[in-house]
């Protein structure tokens, strides 16, 4: 069905494009995964691109929602605000090599679209042409060793085609799409591995889908599909895809599978490591140096790489969900990805160091926040390099080896599924460690940046169980978690969603979890424990606002009980004391305190003493949550 076209590139066009791109990648995801063969045939490029755009969509929707709430009359963000939100969302949610490059393409476009005055409402066809050109050039600069026949080639072709086109934004978008389709069909002639497999480049195929969404945004019409994108002529003969054109490689070494640029990433045998490394999670050590222990981070990564880190190790150090397989000899053994807070000069040094350690190096971002992707044999050294450059977090280490979805021949048999697992969303490394110790697979969410449904689905897959209990631990994640549960069920996993609204409810549910029980009985017991736990948090107001307890000013200490502001104060200790007393007035046997990194020294001891003196039959347990957003989380059960 035709959609109402956007005449100019404004904030609404950004929003529409992101939504349509997500739909297009959703439709093409399985096809793109299936043609992912270069150089690691792990079948996840479509999924990675989908998750990257899903994160961009979430960021754009958030900025629109913020303007509606702020104006009270349906106000909209400026083009600059929407474009920057798109770029930031893609950056923090980028997955794999292709997703990382796509994030830089979107960032490059955003830099041009947001280059005018802050209040600029729209960009014309000339602005779109410049945005496509800058996007292609900036993505190519982000890759240490660009290779032709990849998504970089497709992006450059799209920009070239758009450059020589007149007319409106619709005409420019269609020219870019047509140029990208032609370049995609030619990729097998530029990379021998694609020609041998009889496929086009998977990352380039994803970009064509994204550009098709751009055409639909400005014309209201869905462009013709990339017919037979997975079938191209090759040495043994076959059917043609697109126009069947084969380009002559520009670089004799372009088919080297160890080079970067459009190199798909892996998901097999995934491992994650919190940025602060071993020793930072659990009940001890979560409130130390926010940079963490440099040696500990590298050691944790090496333990993960060597297969010696225990699954769900103490303090949430390194989560190794599977022992590593032997590399197949086709390149480095590990993919390392992390977000990095660092200055430009430090990132320049990091690029040089990582380039010496491995290949497929892509570093995208700017303004103090970067997304780093590299393939290496020494995962610990890659993480240590990030720690020396700044503060890495959301660290993901993936082993490339036998057993991925396209590998044939000798290799270890598929790992047997566990009968039951728990997946929990947490904010803060300490909470992640605590839940991991309790046997849960964790999704570490940065405060203010909730995970997308695709991340929750990926965690369910990582848990590798027939039955999964999902704990969102946040009221705002209800719909996201429900969507993830539905998708996991479609993949054959039995999923029960317990609507936990706070991490303290999740802790209570995990405390009564017994995998030996029947699934229904276990879910009922966990749901009852979570429901019997009242929750509260102590935080600081960022701005003046109306609340259920009155008007608060920026800097006031807020005590929220069951999601509503109940106390407004000026002192953290006094506010927390009032909140605990109010919660215990209705009864309770145990108080759980989860301390954030910025909680005042001595607050736990003060509250423990207060409970001991005034509520004799009530026990208190204290955990360190890490960077969890709130100063203090409180649970009463």
């Amino acid at each position: 069905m035709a959609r109402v076209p956007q005449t100019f590139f404004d904030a609404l066009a950004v929003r529409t494009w992101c939504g349509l791109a997500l739909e297009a990648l959703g439709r093409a995801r399985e096809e793109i995964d299936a043609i992912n063969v270069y150089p690691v045939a792990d079948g996840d490029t479509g999924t990675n691109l989908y998750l990257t755009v899903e994160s961009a969509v979430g960021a754009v929707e958030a900025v629109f929602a913020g303007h509606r709430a702020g104006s009270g009359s349906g106000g909209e963000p400026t083009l600059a605000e929407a474009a920057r939100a798109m770029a930031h969302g893609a950056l923090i949610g980028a997955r794999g090599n292709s997703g990382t490059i796509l994030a830089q393409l979107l960032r490059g476009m955003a830099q041009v679209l947001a280059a005018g005055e802050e209040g600029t409402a729209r960009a014309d066809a000339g602005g779109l042409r410049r945005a496509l050109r800058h996007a292609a050039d900036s993505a190519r600069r982000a890759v240490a060793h660009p290779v032709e026949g990849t998504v970089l080639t497709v992006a450059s072709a799209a920009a070239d085609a758009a450059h020589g086109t007149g007319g409106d934004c619709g005409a420019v978008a269609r020219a870019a799409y047509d140029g990208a389709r032609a370049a995609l069909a030619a990729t097998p002639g530029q990379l021998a591995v694609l020609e041998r497999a009889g496929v086009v480049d998977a990352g380039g195929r994803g970009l064509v889908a994204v550009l098709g969404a751009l055409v639909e945004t400005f014309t209201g019409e869905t462009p013709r599909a990339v017919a037979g994108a997975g079938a191209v002529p090759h040495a043994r003969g076959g059917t043609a895809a697109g126009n069947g054109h084969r380009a002559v490689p520009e670089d004799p070494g372009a088919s080297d599978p160890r080079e970067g640029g459009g190199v798909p990433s892996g998901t097999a045998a995934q491992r994650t490591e919190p940025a602060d490394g071993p020793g930072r999670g659990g009940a001890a050590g979560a409130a130390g140096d926010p940079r963490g222990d440099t040696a500990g981070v590298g050691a944790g990564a090496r333990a993960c790489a060597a297969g010696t880190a225990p699954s769900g190790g103490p303090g949430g150090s390194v989560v190794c969900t599977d022992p590593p397989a032997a590399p197949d000899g086709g390149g480095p053994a590990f993919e390392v990805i992390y977000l990095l807070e660092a200055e430009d000069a430090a990132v320049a040094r990091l690029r040089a160091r990582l380039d010496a350690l491995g290949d497929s190096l892509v570093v995208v971002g700017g303004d103090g926040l970067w997304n780093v992707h590299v393939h290496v044999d020494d995962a610990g050294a890659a993480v240590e390099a990030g720690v020396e450059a700044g503060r890495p977090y959301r660290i993901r280490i993936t082993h490339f080896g036998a057993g991925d979805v396209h590998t044939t021949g000798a290799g270890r048999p598929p790992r047997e599924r566990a009968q039951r697992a728990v997946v929990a969303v947490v904010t803060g490394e300490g909470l992640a460690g605590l839940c991991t110790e309790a046997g849960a697979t964790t999704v570490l969410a940065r405060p203010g940046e909730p995970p997308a449904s695709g991340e929750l689905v990926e965690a369910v897959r990582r848990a590798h169980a027939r039955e999964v209990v999902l704990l969102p631990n946040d009221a705002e994640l209800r719909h996201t978690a429900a969507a993830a549960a539905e998708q996991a069920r479609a993949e054959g996993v039995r999923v029960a969603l317990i609507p936990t609204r706070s991490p303290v409810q999740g802790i209570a549910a995990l405390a009564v979890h017994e995998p030996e029980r029947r699934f229904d009985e276990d879910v009922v017991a966990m749901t009852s424990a979570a429901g019997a736990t009242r929750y509260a948090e102590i935080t600081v107001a960022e701005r003046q606002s109306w609340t259920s307890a009155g008007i608060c000013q920026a800097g006031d200490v807020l005590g929220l009980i069951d999601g509503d502001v109940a106390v407004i104060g000026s002192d953290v200790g006094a506010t927390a004391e009032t909140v605990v007393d109010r919660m215990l007035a209705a009864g309770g046997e145990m108080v759980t305190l989860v301390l954030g990194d910025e909680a005042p020294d001595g607050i736990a001891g003060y509250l423990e003493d207060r409970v001991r003196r005034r509520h004799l039959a009530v026990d208190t347990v204290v955990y360190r949550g890490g960077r969890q957003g709130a100063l203090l989380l409180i649970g009463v059960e």
Side-chain angles (χ1 to χ4, degrees), residues 91-389:
L91 177 68
I92 64 174
R95 297 301 185 91
N97 200 71
S98 294
T100 305
I101 292 173
L102 177 61
Q104 186 65 12
L105 287 167
L106 296 180
R107 177 180 171 81
M109 291 194 68
Q111 287 174 323
V112 173
L113 296 175
E117 296 297 324
E118 188 62 30
T120 299
R122 63 190 189 183
D124 58 12
L128 178 55
R129 283 192 293 269
R130 291 190 298 273
L132 290 166
R133 178 80 273 159
H134 184 66
D137 293 345
S138 63
R140 190 170 286 270
R141 288 193 298 269
V143 177
H145 302 286
V147 169
E148 299 308 323
T150 66
V151 64
L152 297 177
T153 306
V154 176
S156 294
D160 291 343
H163 179 70
T165 301
D168 59 10
C169 286
V172 172
R174 191 174 294 279
Y177 175 75
D178 289 341
R181 289 181 76 251
L184 177 66
T187 55
Q190 296 170 294
L191 276 177
V193 64
L194 299 179
E195 188 172 36
R196 285 194 300 269
V199 298
V200 294
D201 178 65
R205 171 66 181 90
L207 180 58
V208 168
V210 171
L211 290 173
L214 188 65
V215 174
E216 187 173 357
T217 298
F218 290 116
T219 68
E221 301 174 358
T222 303
R224 66 186 186 276
V226 184
V232 296
H234 53 84
R236 300 187 181 95
T239 58
N243 58 16
H245 173 67
R246 293 179 52 193
V248 177
E250 297 179 10
D251 179 0
S255 61
D256 182 0
R258 291 179 58 87
E259 294 295 331
V263 180
S265 65
T267 55
Q270 261 180 358
R271 292 140 179 85
T272 61
E273 178 177 358
D276 294 0
R280 290 279 296 154
D289 179 0
R291 283 281 301 277
D293 175 16
T294 303
V297 172
R302 287 198 175 91
C304 178
T308 57
S311 178
S317 54
V318 180
V319 180
C320 290
T321 59
D322 203 24
D328 60 8
F334 298 97
E335 177 189 60
V336 178
I337 308 173
Y338 49 80
L339 291 178
L340 178 71
E341 294 178 355
E343 299 298 324
D344 290 3
V347 171
R349 294 190 295 271
L350 175 67
R351 288 179 192 269
R353 181 171 177 188
L354 291 180
D355 193 28
L357 286 174
D359 60 34
S360 300
L361 174 61
V362 186
V363 181
V364 304
D367 301 321
L369 181 62
W370 308 82
N371 192 306
V372 179
H373 171 284
V374 67
H375 293 177
V376 293
D377 283 318
D378 189 344
V383 175
E384 285 174 351
V387 174
E388 291 178 8

Side-chain angles (χ1 to χ4, degrees), residues 439-463:
T441 297
T442 59
V443 178
L444 184 59
R446 198 179 187 199
E449 297 175 1
S453 63
E455 293 180 75
L456 302 189
V457 173
E458 186 176 295
V460 171
R461 293 172 182 149
R462 196 168 72 241

Side-chain angles (χ1 to χ4, degrees), residues 357-600:
L357 286 174
D359 60 34
S360 300
L361 174 61
V362 186
V363 181
V364 304
D367 301 321
L369 181 62
W370 308 82
N371 192 306
V372 179
H373 171 284
V374 67
H375 293 177
V376 293
D377 283 318
D378 189 344
V383 175
E384 285 174 351
V387 174
E388 291 178 8
R391 188 180 75 85
Y393 59 100
R394 290 194 183 180
I395 301 169
R396 305 178 63 84
I397 299 173
T398 302
H399 181 261
F400 294 133
D404 66 52
V405 297
H406 291 286
T407 299
T408 58
R412 72 176 190 275
R415 182 164 58 97
E416 180 67 22
R417 283 183 179 271
Q419 180 60 35
R420 189 173 308 160
V422 177
V423 172
V425 181
V426 293
T427 54
E429 298 81 1
L431 282 171
L434 178 66
C435 292
T436 300
E437 287 180 2
T441 297
T442 59
V443 178
L444 184 59
R446 198 179 187 199
E449 297 175 1
S453 63
E455 293 180 75
L456 302 189
V457 173
E458 186 176 295
V460 171
R461 293 172 182 149
R462 196 168 72 241
H464 203 62
R466 298 181 181 90
E467 302 167 340
V468 171
V469 180
L470 181 57
L471 305 175
N473 296 332
D474 186 340
E476 298 298 322
L477 287 179
R478 179 182 58 183
H479 297 300
T480 301
E486 192 63 30
Q487 182 173 340
R489 292 184 190 115
E491 297 178 4
V493 181
R494 188 180 185 187
V495 181
L497 171 60
I498 299 178
T500 47
R501 295 172 173 267
S502 167
V504 294
Q505 290 189 325
I507 292 171
L510 274 171
V512 301
H513 168 53
E514 292 185 14
E516 295 77 18
R517 281 192 296 222
R518 290 179 57 249
F519 185 63
D520 292 341
E521 293 175 354
D522 198 27
V523 170
V524 168
M526 295 175 72
T527 302
S528 297
T533 303
R534 300 188 68 197
Y535 62 95
E537 68 176 81
I538 306 300
T539 189
V540 176
E542 297 181 354
R543 63 183 69 86
Q544 183 186 60
S545 180
W546 287 90
T547 76
S548 54
I551 300 175
C552 71
Q553 304 295 327
D556 282 349
V557 180
L558 306 180
L560 288 80
I561 299 177
D562 294 337
D564 293 322
V565 177
V567 181
I568 300 175
S570 58
D571 177 76
V572 174
T575 303
E577 178 183 330
T578 301
V579 167
V580 170
D581 285 346
R582 288 194 185 183
M583 296 177 76
L584 286 173
E589 299 176 352
M590 176 179 289
V591 174
T592 300
L593 304 176
V594 184
L595 305 180
D597 274 353
E598 297 182 1

Side-chain angles (χ1 to χ4, degrees), residues 52-101:
T52 301
V53 174
E54 185 180 46
S55 182
V57 168
V60 172
E61 290 300 325
V63 78
F64 268 84
H67 271 264
R68 286 197 302 269
S71 68
S73 59
E76 292 185 357
T78 63
L79 170 60
E81 290 171 330
R84 288 174 184 145
M86 172 187 69
H88 179 73
L91 177 68
I92 64 174
R95 297 301 185 91
N97 200 71
S98 294
T100 305
I101 292 173

